[in-house]
Amino acid sequence: MPNNFTTQSTLHVGIIMDGNGRWAARRGLPLLAGHAAGTRALRRTVEAAPDLGVRSLAVYAFSTENWGRPPDEVEGLMSLFADTIEREFPDLHRQGVRVRFVGRRDRSYIVRIASSDLLPAAEAAGLALVR
């Protein structure tokens, strides 16, 4: 694909993670399979962003409304989140990608990560918690 995104307007891009459940349903897959596919698509996007001139990528992945989902889905999403941190962040850090989490931490799984053995690995991979 030719790089048509070379203007200043492409220096910061925002992504809203939406539709993963619908994607899974159309394929007859479990809901969390759609969310897992979304994390893989996001990784491909992060990898491609620098070549497209994107210097900052904001990802809106979990809204306050998402807490109203069924408890098993929320727990599955939070487990997927933790697994993604463990699996992806060390390599992304080696590539120079900085990750920051912005938003409420009082209801967030970040609270659990901060009190678990995941935090040292996440911090070593360049994760920053921002209020």
Side-chain angles (χ1 to χ4, degrees), residues 93-105:
H93 180 64
R94 282 190 294 278
Q95 293 181 43
V97 174
R98 265 191 337 175
V99 178
R100 291 186 176 176
F101 288 90
V102 179
R104 289 180 56 179
R105 294 194 291 168

Side-chain angles (χ1 to χ4, degrees), residues 83-127:
D83 292 345
T84 301
I85 288 172
E86 271 187 307
R87 182 184 63 251
E88 301 291 344
F89 284 16
D91 184 52
L92 290 172
H93 180 64
R94 282 190 294 278
Q95 293 181 43
V97 174
R98 265 191 337 175
V99 178
R100 291 186 176 176
F101 288 90
V102 179
R104 289 180 56 179
R105 294 194 291 168
D106 58 325
R107 289 187 66 189
S108 159
Y109 196 62
I110 294 292
V111 172
R112 283 194 235 169
I113 289 172
S115 63
S116 76
D117 59 345
L118 276 179
L119 185 61
E123 287 178 337
L127 177 139

